[in-house]
Structures are given as structure tokens and as C-alpha cells.
Amino acid sequence: MDSRTSSSVSMVIFIAAILLAHLHSSEAAVSKGSFEDNFSIMWSEDHFTTSKDGQIWYLSLDKDTGCGFQTKQRYRFGWFSMKLKLVAGDSAGVVTAYYMCSENGAGPERDELDFEFLGNRTGEPYLIQTNVYKNGTGGREMRHMLWFDPTEDYHTYSILWNNHQIVFFVDRVPVRVFKNNGEANNFFPNEKPMYLFSSIWNADDWATRGGLEKTNWKLSPFVSSYKDFSVDGCQWEDPYPACVSTTTKNWWDQYDAWHLSGDQKMDYAWVQRNLVIYDYCKDSERFPTTPEECSLNPWD
């Protein structure tokens, strides 16, 4: 490691310590419903367990299968949050996903908002990948480093979704801002209600170093854990719930939630400088013509 890299890493650790001290003091209240209150198991029930009090949920992956769960309700707009602790040690090839999707399966017309945590060899950092789909079209990936080890403790991963912006948060730090342009478009998902999902699965064909690092099944089962699911959003009711309209009655649909605050802009700027590994908007090989949404200003 050269001196410039060492200095950069030291600065990231220093700023992270300041951020965490501030963020832990301002953590929002979290709902405490049991797993059964909020979720249904999607597949492999025998790979799912809970703590005795039902507040911590464990998903495991072995060579046969992974596991996943989803909310019983759909939502359109709001604040969605969960605490996760990821697979420790050698997790190459393992993907832990926490996401929102308008369909139970990967349908061709789905809308989707993704957090994906890409495992790695022991000693190498996890990467976090986010993506946005509208009407089945994704390809809007960003990848970030994290400023902590996500396997040592629980950390909070949240999505703010309204008609003006989608913001991905890690411990209340905005790591990605995806803006709407206020017009009919093909990039901003704002019409379909979504379930929330989480799953653990094998993706060693692409997840770690582009598929070069394969899952070491001798170390299985791989276990990720979850707790403190929290939602403050518009629960969908057919044919059309009143809360889905832009009424500004809810904090997540008021002016302050349409833009980053001053403190959030400072945190977001730090993330952009230090933690971004990949941004599809800057990938001219994949996109010779810059996607329309990339011209929108996340600072507005």
C-alpha cells in the first residue's frame, strides 16, 4: 500500500468514526413486529430460522439452495428500512439481497429497487450494489465500498421513495440519489406498488471479481441475519389507496423529502469522493449515449 492509499484509507476511517457517532445518536424509532406479522417465506422454509423472541431472522445458503422472504403487503412510496448483518469470513460468490419489487418473480415488466451485497474472499471488503428497474429494464448499477465491516454488527439499510427521488441510505448516510424529471419517462419507477424482499443465493458466476472467485461450499452454510424491519409508507389497497396521491400529508411526501438536506449533501459528497467503485452513468463503453436520467442533478 503506497502512502497516498494509506492516507486515503486513514481519512475514510476517521470520517466514518465521526459519522457513526452522529448517526447512532439520531437513529429513528423502529417498529418491532414479529416475522409472521410482516413477512412470508418465499422458498426453502427449512433454511429459515428465528431467534426465540422472533425478532432476529436468519437465512442460510448451502449447495442445495438459498432462502428468501417477502412482505405480505405492497407499498407505493414511503420509507423502508431493515438492519442486516452479512455473512462473515470467506463469502465469495454469495449475494445477500434486500430489495423492492412489483412482482413475486423476475417478471419482464417489473419495477425494482435493489440493494445487493456482494461477498468476497476473507480479508477483502464487501461491495454494495444498487440498481433501479422500470418496466423490466435495469442496468442502472452503482457499486460502493462500505466504511465498516458489515459482518461484525447490524447496520441499517433504507430506501426513501417518493415521486421526486429515490434515495438509498446506509446508516442514514445517502449513498445514492436517483431523481425524477417530473415528466412521463422510462427510467423512474413511480406507478406500481412494490413488495419488500430479502434473500441469500449463490451468484458465483458474476458476483465476486466477475465470476473468477467461486463459492467455497466447504464453508457452508452461509448465514445472513435481519432485524428491526420498519416501514412508514403508503400501503396498497385495491383499486387505488388515497395515500398514493401527492398530498404532502406524510413526511416522506413533503418538500424536505424531495431533496437532500444540507447535512445529507455533505455526507453524500463524502461518499461520492471516497466510496464509489462503479457508476453506470460514467460507463461510456456500455452506454455510448448517456442515459437520460444521468443528466439530472442529485443536489437539486
Side-chain angles (χ1 to χ4, degrees), residues 105-122:
E109 297 296 323
R110 74 189 186 278
D111 288 355
E112 186 171 318
L113 308 174
D114 291 342
F115 271 116
E116 292 179 317
F117 306 91
L118 311 182
N120 219 328
R121 291 296 180 213
T122 301

Side-chain angles (χ1 to χ4, degrees), residues 90-106:
D90 186 340
S91 59
V94 177
V95 171
T96 301
Y98 167 56
Y99 61 104
M100 302 182 68
C101 188
S102 60
E103 301 181 21
N104 290 322

Side-chain angles (χ1 to χ4, degrees), residues 202-215:
N202 178 46
D204 66 4
D205 57 333
W206 65 270
T208 306
R209 295 185 60 217
L212 296 177
E213 301 284 356
K214 300 301 182 181
T215 304

Side-chain angles (χ1 to χ4, degrees), residues 121-294:
R121 291 296 180 213
T122 301
E124 297 296 324
Y126 261 87
L127 294 182
I128 181 173
Q129 175 170 287
T130 56
N131 203 350
V132 177
Y133 285 74
K134 180 170 183 176
N135 294 329
T137 299
R140 302 179 178 95
E141 299 94 344
M142 287 192 71
R143 289 187 178 185
H144 295 77
M145 294 187 298
L146 293 170
W147 57 94
F148 52 83
D149 182 346
T151 72
E152 290 185 346
D153 202 353
Y154 291 91
H155 291 269
T156 305
Y157 304 90
S158 310
I159 296 172
L160 170 66
W161 176 32
N162 56 48
N163 202 36
H164 299 265
Q165 65 177 0
I166 297 162
V167 186
F168 295 83
F169 290 86
V170 177
D171 284 342
R172 292 280 181 165
V173 175
V175 298
R176 180 175 185 178
V177 179
F178 192 81
K179 302 291 282 192
N180 197 2
N181 64 358
E183 304 172 358
N185 59 61
N186 294 317
F187 59 84
F188 193 92
N190 60 350
E191 299 170 354
K192 301 173 185 176
M194 300 194 206
Y195 299 96
L196 279 88
F197 298 82
S198 199
S199 60
I200 185 170
W201 48 290
N202 178 46
D204 66 4
D205 57 333
W206 65 270
T208 306
R209 295 185 60 217
L212 296 177
E213 301 284 356
K214 300 301 182 181
T215 304
N216 183 355
W217 293 112
K218 294 179 181 178
L219 301 176
S220 67
F222 302 98
V223 179
S224 57
S225 54
Y226 309 76
K227 67 176 183 177
D228 293 351
F229 171 68
S230 176
V231 58
D232 185 354
C234 179
Q235 183 173 311
W236 189 261
E237 296 176 359
D238 290 326
Y240 199 85
C243 60
V244 82
S245 301
T246 303
T247 62
T248 69
K249 290 182 179 179
N250 301 288
W251 72 265
W252 39 261
D253 198 21
Q254 295 173 355
Y255 182 83
D256 287 347
W258 300 349
H259 320 271
L260 296 182
S261 68
D263 287 344
Q264 288 174 339
K265 287 179 179 178
M266 292 179 62
D267 290 345
Y268 180 67
W270 173 76
V271 169
Q272 293 297 105
R273 289 193 305 269
N274 294 287
L275 301 179
V276 176
I277 300 297
Y278 174 80
D279 183 348
Y280 80 104
C281 285
K282 299 178 180 179
D283 191 339
S284 58
E285 290 188 14
R286 285 183 65 198
F287 303 99
T289 300
T290 303
E292 177 184 5
E293 65 272 18
C294 295

